[in-house]
Amino acid sequence: MTHPYFLKARHPRVLAHRGLLPATGENAPVGASPSNAVWENTAAAFAAAHAAGAEYIETDCRVTADGDVVLFHDETLTRLLSDDRSVAQVRTGELAELLAPHGGLLTVGEMLEMFPETRFNIDVKTDAASTPLGALIAPHAHRVLLTSFSDARRRRAVDAVLAAGAEMRPATSAGRASMMKVRLLSALRLPCARALRGMDALQVPERYGPIRVVTRSLLRAAHRHGVEVHVWTVNDSEDMRRLIGQGVDAVVTDRADVALRALS
């Protein structure tokens, strides 16, 4: 059965990668810079994605020194704040102060409360985040997809949601090992049902080093088992249209505004 995460939403899908940042032109660089007051994974970036019409927002979570599950991609503050401390070493209040001029820190709980209609794709970045996510996600499992590069971490996070009393499991996407297994099996025309069991999406790059991941055989195998294929991170409108034309179900993009126009 199709997970509610995908029901009554536009297809092809557009996932706003860490929200939406100001840019000049569709290929403008994104991320933190002195001229860019709004940073990724902040309340302002999410509000901009929502205002542009994005139904889905992709984000990342880590745990602070206080044990709060916050939206933050990197292990350390180095790239954004020129601070070599890890997120796990910083208290939530201090991190909130540091991000206040750049769009505002969000915890997972705050995100779900502030954007009650938005569907979220949450990449669980650390083992420490897996268990505390459970109680936060449980009432919202119908509009959350949990993923991680680590299949084991993703499974722990899903188990934590169910243990917290969720009426259903959240949607899930394959980790790196499962993704590459499906890629290999599909290329060899071998059965993929077991590798895809419990998956709702394969979220993959178009290429992984020299290996082309998005192939006709992978698309056929995934769709045969009711699994969507989402490609990251696609910022060029022509690439978006090309991939959707090949049968891809969604693009994960820094330019949700561009994607929504290109794929309308």
Side-chain angles (χ1 to χ4, degrees), residues 38-208:
V38 176
W39 289 356
E40 64 190 38
N41 278 335
T42 60
F46 283 19
H50 181 267
E55 295 175 287
Y56 295 91
I57 296 178
E58 187 275 347
T59 187
D60 316 273
C61 71
R62 294 184 178 274
V63 175
T64 66
D66 294 315
D68 294 315
V69 188
V70 298
L71 307 186
F72 207 91
H73 177 272
D74 297 2
E75 181 180 359
T76 73
L77 311 188
T78 305
R79 176 173 62 92
L80 293 179
L81 291 157
S82 300
D83 183 331
D84 291 337
R85 288 178 297 169
S86 69
V87 174
Q89 293 175 306
V90 182
R91 304 198 68 170
T92 307
E94 181 184 359
L95 189 58
E97 289 180 8
L98 291 169
L99 292 185
H102 301 290
L105 177 70
L106 283 175
T107 65
V108 168
E110 290 167 342
M111 171 190 77
L112 293 166
E113 182 178 348
M114 288 178 64
F115 301 95
E117 304 301 323
T118 301
R119 305 169 198 222
F120 290 100
N121 187 117
I122 305 175
D123 187 347
V124 187
K125 289 295 187 185
T126 65
D127 292 340
S130 298
T131 298
L133 263 181
L136 299 169
I137 298 300
H140 307 275
H142 62 287
R143 64 185 180 106
V144 170
L145 183 150
L146 290 181
T147 188
S148 174
F149 281 130
S150 163
D151 285 300
R153 183 183 302 142
R154 173 197 32 95
R155 285 192 289 266
R156 283 194 294 272
V158 171
D159 288 345
V161 175
L162 295 173
E167 295 182 358
M168 66 180 71
R169 66 168 178 80
T172 64
S173 171
R176 182 181 286 139
S178 292
M179 177 264 289
M180 294 308 293
K181 185 174 183 179
V182 173
R183 169 64 178 82
L184 177 60
L185 291 172
S186 64
L188 297 174
R189 298 187 179 182
L190 295 173
C192 295
R194 185 172 181 179
L196 289 168
R197 187 177 300 157
M199 302 296 178
D200 301 285
L202 281 176
Q203 296 183 329
V204 298
E206 185 172 6
R207 304 187 70 90
Y208 194 72

Side-chain angles (χ1 to χ4, degrees), residues 195-251:
L196 289 168
R197 187 177 300 157
M199 302 296 178
D200 301 285
L202 281 176
Q203 296 183 329
V204 298
E206 185 172 6
R207 304 187 70 90
Y208 194 72
I211 301 171
R212 182 171 181 81
V213 178
V214 180
T215 61
R216 291 179 182 177
S217 59
L218 180 134
L219 287 163
R220 282 196 299 266
H223 290 159
R224 187 179 303 123
H225 296 285
V227 175
E228 294 199 358
V229 177
H230 304 173
V231 180
W232 48 265
T233 303
V234 187
N235 293 334
D236 180 79
S237 58
E238 290 303 316
D239 288 336
M240 296 170 188
R241 285 189 282 262
R242 173 178 55 80
L243 287 163
I244 296 302
Q246 292 173 2
V248 166
D249 298 283
V251 294

